[in-house]
Amino acid sequence: MKKLILIILTLLIIVMGIYILKIGASERNVTKSGDYETAAEDLKKVMRESLVDNPMEIRLEGHSIKGLYYKVLMDDDMKLYVSEDFIQDILGCAVRRYKSGDIALERGSAKLDFSEGQYRKAGNMIFIPVDSNLNLLDFDVEISFVEHYVDFSAIEGTPAIPSAYDMRKDERVTPVRDQGKYGTCWAFASLGALESSTMPYEESIYSPDHMALSNSYKTPVSAGGDHTMSIAYMAAWQGPVLEKDDPYGDKKTDETLAAAKHLEEAIIINERDDDVIKGAIFRYGGIETSLYFPLEYGEIDSDYYNDAHASYYMDEKHEPNHDIVVVGWDDDYPKESFNNEPKRNGAFICKNSWGTDFGDEGYFYVSYEDPNICTQSVVYTRVAEPDNFDNIYQTDKLGWVGQMGFSDESAYFANVYTAKKDEKLGGVSFYATDKNTEFSVYLVHDFKDTSDFEKKELLVSGGTRYAGYYTAYIPDENVDLKEGERFAVVVFIKTKGAVKPVAVEYKADSRTANVDITDGEGYISQYGKSWIRTEDEQDSNVCLKAFTYERD
């Protein structure tokens, strides 16, 4: 039947001369027959019905693109809209949201504005119209309603990012803050980056006190921290909370405070790649990273720091010891501005947490030649409202502590949970431990023992370009769970070049001594046939959460 519909559809489109549409092509005069309007409406109906079972595929330069959120919408007039995540992740455009409801797409020096009503919204996601305006961002688009694809091609020679960019000029940074003598630079850097991800549409100031004192690691404030703690804290819905609800520096916190946002995605860039770093800042927001900084809090006297220019350059490799937020760059920043002159111009613009008396009103400039900055960076790419899901099922409040696998780049892993009430499965989250990861998510109803993994049902598949924390939404909202039902969420993961692709939580050192492996039922398998209970045989919890909606 489907083949017959496809044949009819193909013939109709060929007859009507709209088999393939090239956006931006020159217009031609068209003579319409008397029954054109009726035939066109019938054709649209057939197409829309066909697209229910065969959704539009997104392509770049003819190659299919897989992703967590890359989708195409079509309205009643067959106008297509593509998700902002594809626009950001693949096309390299920034999507700026404003309080007025307007949005802007930026790529290099080009900018394209949309008023409310010209784009579509589905939940928290924006969908951009696929039309000739995209030529202004240097893209050609080809649409095939027969083969069900929309293909984007970049016009060669057009830079995707400018030679200089400063988030301060676009009102995309929150005020500089002062950590004092506490070891909380990591919390200020994490939350500073997070805050920038929603600006200028929304400005929120979050509490470093709560992040440092109410995470599951329970380490002293003086002990410091890193991005793994930040991501785990937010992924567990422990935070962030607003600064006004847990003020900084009073040595007190309130663990009962509810998170003001829910983290859905954080990309981890595990190597120094300036083009990737710049592109992430331009598209998503400030980057949380670290560098080696020989100065103590409040100091300015150093052979490597020039207070007059607020510039810093360390020419030797050291272990990073201070976290900051990178909020921009300038390829032409003069090398003569540094005490220890590098070989070339260029600097990252960095937001510190030592108050506005430090540097350039709290900011400073780090040479591109510095070998210690951005060796590992985090950008918070998807932050949702706290009602994105109703409930969370988890056993890994410390998050990604280590990795497990079978000396192979692929593996299966699973967690078993018991539904607290009648619910719908809405999503799952997990870590990609390196770049170029493919995944498939499955569900097992009424789980009794490992033999039930054979009846797993595929829910969604996709891929990620970078390491990080990801949430996969379940497209079918009718995945019902019954109160008291034991259900298993299962992920098959394949990470190119990995030998241990599965992120796990376990006791690795004194910092992770509070890990609780009695609260979970996790499994891992090489081929999905024979399963190992991770709590019993590996003393670890699998990092795999489930999110649900309550049924009406």
Side-chain angles (χ1 to χ4, degrees):
M1 183 64 183
K2 288 183 179 179
K3 289 184 177 179
L4 179 60
I5 291 175
L6 184 59
I7 292 170
I8 295 172
L9 181 60
T10 304
L11 291 173
L12 281 170
I13 295 176
I14 291 174
V15 169
M16 295 184 66
I18 54 172
Y19 171 51
I20 291 181
L21 306 178
K22 290 207 173 186
I23 301 297
S26 59
E27 295 184 3
R28 299 178 182 177
N29 294 323
V30 178
T31 301
K32 301 178 182 179
S33 63
D35 58 353
Y36 173 85
E37 298 296 341
T38 301
E41 287 303 316
D42 290 343
L43 179 59
K44 289 178 183 178
K45 182 179 179 181
V46 173
M47 286 182 176
R48 288 194 294 267
E49 292 175 351
S50 176
L51 288 172
V52 171
D53 294 327
N54 299 280
M56 296 291 281
E57 177 186 46
I58 303 179
R59 298 180 183 180
L60 181 68
E61 311 286 356
H63 299 286
S64 179
I65 300 295
K66 294 180 179 180
L68 295 177
Y69 315 103
Y70 307 153
K71 296 180 177 65
V72 177
L73 297 183
M74 185 176 69
D75 64 18
D76 290 340
D77 293 322
M78 295 189 63
K79 187 172 184 178
L80 298 182
Y81 300 80
V82 67
S83 60
E84 64 178 304
D85 295 82
F86 175 79
I87 294 286
Q88 290 177 312
D89 298 349
I90 305 302
L91 301 189
C93 300
V95 180
R96 312 272 188 245
R97 302 191 189 194
Y98 298 96
K99 294 178 181 178
S100 64
D102 294 345
I103 65 170
L105 269 58
E106 296 183 35
R107 185 174 185 269
S109 59
K111 185 177 181 181
L112 187 58
D113 295 309
F114 295 91
S115 60
E116 200 166 11
Q118 292 181 307
Y119 59 88
R120 296 288 181 267
K121 289 191 70 174
N124 194 45
M125 180 71 70
I126 284 176
F127 286 81
I128 311 299
V130 179
D131 57 27
S132 59
N133 286 328
L134 290 179
N135 290 138
L136 300 177
L137 299 175
D138 298 312
F139 281 100
D140 288 327
V141 186
E142 181 181 279
I143 300 171
S144 172
F145 286 105
V146 170
E147 296 185 32
H148 294 223
Y149 70 76
V150 52
D151 191 0
F152 295 82
S153 301
I155 298 174
E156 294 184 6
T158 304
I161 54 176
S163 61
Y165 181 71
D166 187 340
M167 292 179 65
R168 293 175 293 181
K169 296 179 180 179
D170 278 350
E171 298 182 345
R172 295 181 64 205
V173 293
T174 49
V176 170
R177 302 186 62 191
D178 193 340
Q179 71 183 72
K181 294 186 178 295
Y182 298 107
T184 51
C185 62
W186 64 279
F188 279 92
S190 299
L191 294 176
L194 180 74
E195 290 162 357
S196 73
S197 69
T198 60
M199 292 185 69
Y201 172 73
E202 176 185 314
E203 179 178 349
S204 297
I205 309 297
Y206 299 118
S207 170
D209 231 34
H210 196 272
M211 176 175 277
L213 297 172
S214 292
N215 64 74
S216 293
Y217 282 76
K218 306 299 183 186
T219 54
V221 173
S222 59
D226 60 25
H227 70 273
T228 59
M229 295 171 62
S230 304
I231 294 175
Y233 159 84
M234 289 187 278
W237 291 6
Q238 293 171 329
V241 306
L242 296 174
E243 170 67 17
K244 67 180 181 64
D245 295 328
D246 194 343
Y248 183 70
D250 60 4
K251 299 181 181 180
K252 296 186 296 183
T253 190
D254 183 355
E255 295 187 4
T256 66
L257 291 172
K261 297 286 184 182
H262 284 167
L263 178 66
E264 292 189 339
E265 182 177 289
I267 289 175
I268 302 173
I269 306 167
N270 280 320
E271 58 188 358
R272 171 73 179 270
D273 186 325
D274 288 1
D275 287 340
V276 172
I277 291 163
K278 292 174 182 178
I281 295 168
F282 186 67
R283 298 195 299 272
Y284 306 114
I287 279 186
E288 170 194 355
T289 192
S290 56
L291 79 169
Y292 175 72
F293 213 49
L295 298 173
E296 295 293 331
Y297 170 79
E299 291 182 348
I300 59 173
D301 186 19
S302 169
D303 292 338
Y304 306 100
Y305 177 71
N306 184 315
D307 187 49
H309 294 286
S311 60
Y312 175 78
Y313 170 47
M314 165 61 72
D315 59 351
E316 298 175 350
K317 185 72 174 175
H318 290 274
E319 186 70 23
N321 65 353
H322 184 57
D323 285 8
I324 45 92
V325 187
V326 182
V327 300
W329 66 90
D330 184 353
D331 291 348
D332 296 320
Y333 188 86
K335 61 184 180 181
E336 293 81 12
S337 297
F338 298 95
N339 278 352
N340 186 17
E341 188 174 311
K343 295 179 180 179
R344 61 184 174 119
N345 293 337
F348 291 112
I349 305 170
C350 302
K351 180 184 180 183
N352 203 7
S353 53
W354 289 2
T356 55
D357 289 339
F358 173 81
D360 177 12
E361 297 185 342
Y363 293 82
F364 65 112
Y365 305 83
V366 179
S367 170
Y368 288 163
E369 296 282 310
D370 191 299
N372 306 301
I373 191 170
C374 294
T375 55
Q376 189 172 61
S377 306
V378 179
V379 59
Y380 298 97
T381 48
R382 283 186 62 84
V383 184
E385 296 303 314
D387 61 355
N388 63 334
F389 299 109
D390 293 320
N391 301 301
I392 183 173
Y393 291 84
Q394 60 181 334
T395 64
D396 60 321
K397 291 185 178 180
L398 297 189
W400 178 8
V401 174
Q403 294 168 221
M404 188 181 297
F406 300 92
S407 297
D408 192 358
E409 61 186 17
S410 65
Y412 287 84
F413 58 102
N415 261 341
V416 179
Y417 297 109
T418 301
K420 298 174 183 177
K421 55 185 70 175
D422 289 346
E423 301 170 276
K424 294 180 180 179
L425 183 64
V428 301
S429 70
F430 53 90
Y431 292 89
T433 56
D434 209 340
K435 57 187 178 182
N436 298 322
T437 292
E438 299 176 9
F439 67 88
S440 295
V441 177
Y442 303 84
L443 174 67
V444 178
H445 282 288
D446 298 315
F447 184 89
K448 297 180 180 61
D449 55 45
T450 56
S451 65
D452 289 327
F453 283 124
E454 292 293 330
K455 61 181 185 181
K456 63 183 182 296
E457 303 169 13
L458 178 64
L459 300 179
V460 64
S461 296
T464 67
R465 299 175 68 194
Y466 302 102
Y469 173 78
Y470 294 92
T471 302
Y473 271 79
I474 306 306
D476 183 4
E477 293 188 358
N478 294 316
V479 182
D480 291 332
L481 303 170
K482 298 178 182 178
E483 182 177 356
E485 176 187 358
R486 277 167 46 83
F487 66 96
V489 286
V490 184
V491 174
F492 170 77
I493 201 164
K494 183 177 181 180
T495 302
K496 188 176 180 179
V499 293
K500 295 181 178 180
V502 181
V504 295
E505 170 199 63
Y506 70 102
K507 182 179 178 181
D509 50 28
S510 60
R511 193 179 70 165
T512 56
N514 287 324
V515 65
D516 181 6
I517 61 168
T518 67
D519 63 347
E521 184 177 348
Y523 297 90
I524 186 171
S525 172
Q526 185 170 11
Y527 303 114
K529 301 297 182 182
S530 177
W531 293 82
I532 297 171
R533 176 74 184 271
T534 59
E535 290 85 2
D536 293 343
E537 300 188 39
Q538 302 293 326
D539 292 328
S540 63
N541 287 322
V542 171
C543 294
L544 176 56
K545 305 179 193 292
F547 305 98
T548 62
Y549 305 107
E550 294 183 5
R551 285 195 290 180
D552 298 331

